[in-house]
Amino acid sequence: MKSNRGLSDEQIFILSCIYISILSLSLIGSFSVVVVSILKRRHLNEQAKPLLQLALADFLASLVLMITTIINLLYDTFTSNENMCTYGLTLSLAFYCISFLLVIIYACESAHAFQGWREKPVQEAFETQLAQLSSRRRRFCLTYVIAWFVPIIGYFIYIYTFHYVEATLTPANTPTLTPYSRGPTARFCSSCLLFLHLSNDSCITVDPGHADSIRIFPLSSVLMVIIVCTVVYWKLESSYRNYRNTSMITVTQRHSGGIWSSARYMILVIIFCWAPALVLICLSFAQLNIKNLFPLYVTQALSVSLQGFLNSIVYAWRRRNFRDAVLGERLPLMAYSNRPFFDQSLNEPS
């Protein structure tokens, strides 16, 4: 008789295929933005740095998660892959955390560029912006360093301090030791899938402190980026409304939807990609039967894997000024209209 916990071999194979296929889209999308940001950096100006780093973080997160999932498919080759799973899945979460932090930095840079430009007449603001550009770059450079190094340092602390413990089994959850039950149980316990072993599933797992950190860390990170970006963009929308009826914003520069119409997609990407994962994390505290959560695992695999692809659309390819720079149809963006790229990205229709 099979254990009543854990997914079957077929279900694990389905999840692995979903991850690999959808992650391929994220790899293509994020890599395209990385390449364009490097080749067209003259046209993108100050926008190249946050775009490049955000796309690079998404690319690395997708790449590490895909490699780990491929290892999961090669179960017969890697029969003792607990360490590889732990290292790979945790590293992918670290890169996703970097992506979250860069999304917050992008929002703050957008607010800084917009508000700073509006506070002065157009010509004076343009001249002042050029003079203050180097100072702002130094300030945000430190922010970028922190965004990359803090999650990576946290990753190394995690992998050097965790240890494996036996799962606490009750008689009802103890797997039978028959040839028909040991295979699937061993296959499930060796699976390298994101958030698969969050609860007591009769498998060897990391110690309780590190297991809780894997649940609390993504939960708090996603909530933080949603709250911060919502507040920043909402304040930015309020500032835009205060200026939209003044001479600083001409009729051709106005966008009927305002800033929020563009910024909301940036927030919705995070919510769409990580809401199923957050639900899964919350349900893990209730120690539910994993077999009953398979549809949620499928949804989570689809949504999380799409983050790099959706970010490449929302932050880059959906933006008209980004497409114009790629096609070479305009001068460098700062010189074209005396308006910051961040301002155009939020204010112009797609």
Side-chain angles (χ1 to χ4, degrees):
M1 179 178 179
K2 291 183 181 181
S3 171
N4 64 343
R5 286 181 176 268
L7 302 179
S8 65
D9 291 1
E10 293 77 11
Q11 290 174 325
I12 293 174
F13 179 78
I14 291 173
L15 288 176
S16 301
C17 293
I18 291 174
Y19 272 113
I20 293 176
S21 58
I22 305 302
L23 284 171
S24 300
L25 295 177
S26 290
L27 287 175
I28 295 173
S30 56
F31 183 72
S32 67
V33 178
V34 170
V35 173
V36 169
S37 298
I38 295 175
L39 297 180
K40 299 291 184 176
R41 59 185 179 275
R42 183 176 64 89
H43 292 269
L44 295 174
N45 270 321
E46 82 281 9
Q47 182 75 352
K49 181 180 294 185
L51 271 182
L52 172 61
Q53 297 196 49
L54 178 59
L56 181 60
D58 287 333
F59 177 80
L60 292 176
S62 301
L63 180 63
V64 173
L65 188 56
M66 174 176 280
I67 293 175
T68 308
T69 307
I70 292 175
I71 292 176
N72 183 68
L73 286 178
L74 302 178
Y75 170 71
D76 294 333
T77 304
F78 300 95
T79 55
S80 299
N81 57 354
E82 290 86 358
N83 285 335
M84 287 186 290
C85 286
T86 301
Y87 296 159
L89 295 178
T90 308
L91 183 59
S92 66
L93 287 177
F95 284 126
Y96 278 123
C97 179
I98 294 172
S99 178
F100 295 155
L101 294 176
L102 292 173
V103 167
I104 294 177
I105 294 175
Y106 187 98
C108 294
E109 287 219 44
S110 300
H112 183 276
F114 180 90
Q115 293 172 346
W117 182 74
R118 301 299 182 196
E119 290 174 356
K120 299 179 180 181
V122 177
Q123 185 61 31
E124 181 183 353
F126 177 60
E127 295 173 356
T128 303
Q129 186 184 29
L130 291 179
Q132 294 178 347
L133 188 58
S134 59
S135 175
R136 192 183 70 176
R137 283 176 176 173
R138 287 194 298 269
R139 183 172 65 255
F140 278 103
C141 182
L142 177 61
T143 309
Y144 290 129
V145 171
I146 295 174
W148 280 92
F149 274 89
V150 170
I152 294 300
I153 291 174
Y155 165 74
F156 282 108
I157 293 176
Y158 180 93
I159 63 174
Y160 281 115
T161 56
F162 83 94
H163 60 276
Y164 294 108
V165 295
E166 294 284 349
T168 303
L169 300 178
T170 61
N173 294 332
T174 305
T176 57
L177 301 179
T178 66
Y180 301 100
S181 63
R182 293 185 64 181
T185 300
R187 178 71 177 90
F188 170 76
C189 290
S190 300
S191 297
C192 302
L193 296 177
L194 198 60
F195 303 133
L196 187 61
H197 302 291
L198 290 176
S199 59
N200 180 22
D201 52 19
S202 307
C203 298
I204 297 177
T205 183
V206 297
D207 57 278
H210 288 76
D212 289 338
S213 67
I214 288 296
R215 290 187 284 191
I216 296 174
F217 173 73
L219 184 64
S220 58
S221 298
V222 173
L223 293 178
M224 177 186 68
V225 69
I226 292 175
I227 293 173
V228 172
C229 289
T230 301
V231 171
V232 170
Y233 286 128
W234 185 256
K235 288 184 176 181
L236 202 55
E237 172 68 13
S238 300
S239 299
Y240 176 80
R241 289 177 179 176
N242 292 334
Y243 284 106
R244 66 185 304 174
N245 295 324
T246 67
S247 58
M248 286 187 176
I249 301 181
T250 65
V251 176
T252 57
Q253 291 172 338
R254 293 176 185 173
H255 183 201
S256 58
I259 288 176
W260 185 252
S261 63
S262 296
R264 65 187 176 189
Y265 292 110
M266 302 174 183
I267 301 174
L268 287 176
V269 166
I270 301 297
I271 297 176
F272 172 81
C273 291
W274 288 91
L278 296 187
V279 173
L280 196 59
I281 292 173
C282 293
L283 291 178
S284 69
F285 291 98
Q287 301 291 323
L288 299 178
N289 193 328
I290 293 180
K291 281 182 175 293
N292 299 330
L293 300 178
F294 177 69
L296 185 57
Y297 275 104
V298 172
T299 306
Q300 178 256 332
L302 289 169
S303 59
V304 170
S305 302
L306 278 172
Q307 176 174 310
F309 177 72
L310 294 179
N311 275 345
S312 67
I313 295 177
V314 170
Y315 287 90
W317 295 111
R318 184 176 175 271
R319 303 266 54 86
R320 188 175 65 188
N321 49 3
F322 182 86
R323 297 194 301 267
D324 290 345
V326 172
L327 297 175
E329 295 179 355
R330 66 194 305 174
L331 296 173
L333 295 169
M334 288 287 295
Y336 181 78
S337 61
N338 293 355
R339 297 174 60 205
F341 188 101
F342 292 99
D343 184 20
Q344 291 180 313
S345 293
L346 292 173
N347 194 31
E348 288 187 352
S350 300

